[in-house]
């Protein structure tokens, strides 16, 4: 039995289909709606591969742009300020539950300037021209290889890899702190502290430690890719795009610095 409200309203006709706003809908309109693709992650406010790629690419591009003045117009005060500011902002973002886009972009800009400045400093202070370009190519190739290994299914972020990254990362951090302490308080007069002051089988300790750090960076990249894949599959909120992009950029910055240092140590021996 028809509702007396709709029956007495001449705006509604028997057999006619209406949308939520009460507008008549034809069969052609219905067929067109059925033929339309279902809403994707972006439309539903969920994490997506496209979102992560766009945001990570934007952060990397911004870092490139700010690296130019840091590289061309070196200033030691600017190097130190950007190093401290980047570290502090990176820690803030790492512990925030939601990665703020403005802070993520600020981090990329500051780190870009820092990388440009540290590249010029190392090339000039240690007489290793072209070290920045070599480190950049090494970082790009490492990223491409890690992405291919993960996408092809040859490498997965297993619990063993997670433990390796955690234990290795803590060990590397402790070594770095001890090395910096020795350099500050005069425990070594080598340019890179224990990294060049100690050799194993004729190889500077810094090269071996650097190679270990690069392996850790590769594992970290695999972990970043795993986070993106699982985030998209589980339908995480869209703001996790920024967290994933931030994680990838942090790992790339780390890899670049490690490659730059390895190149400087090796070429500095010539």
């Amino acid at each position: 039995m028809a509702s007396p409200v709709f029956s007495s309203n001449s705006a509604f006709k028997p057999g006619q289909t209406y949308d939520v706003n009460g507008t008549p809908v034809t069969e052609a309109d219905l067929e067109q709606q059925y033929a339309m693709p279902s809403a994707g992650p972006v439309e539903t406010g969920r994490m997506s591969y496209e979102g992560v790629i766009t945001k990570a690419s934007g952060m990397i591009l911004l870092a490139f742009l700010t690296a130019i003045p840091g590289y061309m117009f070196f200033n030691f005060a600017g190097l130190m300020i950007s190093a401290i500011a980047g570290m502090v902002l990176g820690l803030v973002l790492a512990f925030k539950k939601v990665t703020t886009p403005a802070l993520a972009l600020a981090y990329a800009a500051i780190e870009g300037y820092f990388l440009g400045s540290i590249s010029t400093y190392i090339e000039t202070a240690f007489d290793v021209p072209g070290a920045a370009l070599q480190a950049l190519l090494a970082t790009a190739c490492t990223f491409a290889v890690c992405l291919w290994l993960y996408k092809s299914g040859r490498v997965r972020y297993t619990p063993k890899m997670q433990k390796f990254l955690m234990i290795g990362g803590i060990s590397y951090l402790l070594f770095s702190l001890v090395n910096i302490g020795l350099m500050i308080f005069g425990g070594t007069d080598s340019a890179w502290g224990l990294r060049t002051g100690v050799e194993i089988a004729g190889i500077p300790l810094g090269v071996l430690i650097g190679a270990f750090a690069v392996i850790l960076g590769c594992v970290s990249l695999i972990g970043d890719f795993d986070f993106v894949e699982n985030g998209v599959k589980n339908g995480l909120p869209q703001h996790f795009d920024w967290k994933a992009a931030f994680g990838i950029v942090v790992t790339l910055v780390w890899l670049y610095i490690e490659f730059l240092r390895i190149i400087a140590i090796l070429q500095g021996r010539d």
Side-chain angles (χ1 to χ4, degrees):
M1 183 175 181
S3 169
V5 176
F6 295 139
S7 299
S8 60
N9 191 338
S10 60
F12 293 93
K13 299 178 180 179
Q16 175 66 58
T17 303
Y18 300 89
D19 61 16
V20 293
N21 297 316
T23 304
V25 179
T26 65
E27 292 186 6
D29 294 331
L30 290 174
E31 290 181 0
Q32 183 178 5
Q33 292 178 11
Y34 288 137
M36 291 177 63
S38 58
V42 175
E43 290 78 11
T44 56
R46 298 296 177 181
M47 186 177 180
S48 66
Y49 293 116
E50 295 80 1
V52 175
I53 293 172
T54 300
K55 293 171 178 61
S57 299
M59 291 179 68
I60 293 172
L61 177 60
L62 180 59
F64 267 115
L65 293 176
T66 57
I68 295 174
Y71 185 83
M72 297 183 65
F73 309 104
F74 175 75
N75 180 278
F76 188 77
L79 169 63
M80 297 306 298
I81 292 173
S82 60
I84 296 172
M87 181 179 64
V88 172
L89 189 54
L91 289 173
V92 170
L93 285 167
F95 287 101
K96 280 178 66 69
K97 291 183 178 181
V98 177
T99 302
T100 309
L103 291 181
L105 292 173
Y107 171 81
I110 293 171
E111 283 298 332
Y113 183 88
F114 166 71
L115 293 180
S117 298
I118 193 67
S119 297
T120 296
Y121 174 74
I122 289 179
E123 286 187 347
T124 55
F126 297 94
D127 192 24
V128 283
L133 180 58
Q134 295 177 56
L136 183 62
L137 290 174
T139 303
C141 291
T142 301
F143 176 83
V145 170
C146 289
L147 181 59
W148 174 75
L149 288 173
Y150 186 82
K151 288 289 291 181
S152 64
R154 288 175 170 80
V155 175
R156 286 299 172 193
Y157 193 53
T158 63
K160 289 185 178 180
M161 292 183 71
Q162 296 178 33
K163 291 180 181 178
F164 171 76
L165 180 60
M166 181 181 66
I167 297 173
I170 294 174
S171 302
Y172 178 77
L173 177 61
L174 290 176
F175 167 81
S176 299
L177 291 174
V178 170
N179 190 48
I180 292 174
L182 290 174
M183 294 173 67
I184 292 176
F185 297 107
T188 175
D189 56 356
S190 298
W192 298 97
L194 295 176
R195 294 177 186 269
T196 50
V198 177
E199 292 189 357
I200 299 177
I203 303 175
L205 180 62
V207 174
L208 299 176
I209 294 294
F212 176 71
V214 168
I215 294 174
L216 287 176
C218 292
V219 175
S220 180
L221 270 180
I222 298 299
D224 294 333
F225 299 149
D226 182 77
F227 174 77
V228 174
E229 181 179 18
N230 285 297
V232 173
K233 287 182 177 179
N234 295 326
L236 291 181
Q238 198 171 39
H239 64 77
F240 278 95
D241 286 352
W242 283 106
K243 180 174 285 293
F246 167 70
I248 292 172
V249 172
V250 168
T251 305
L252 291 177
V253 168
W254 179 21
L255 282 170
Y256 177 85
I257 293 175
E258 292 300 335
F259 280 124
L260 190 65
R261 182 160 39 209
I262 292 172
I263 292 167
I265 292 174
L266 289 175
Q267 292 190 9
R269 304 177 72 207
D270 295 341

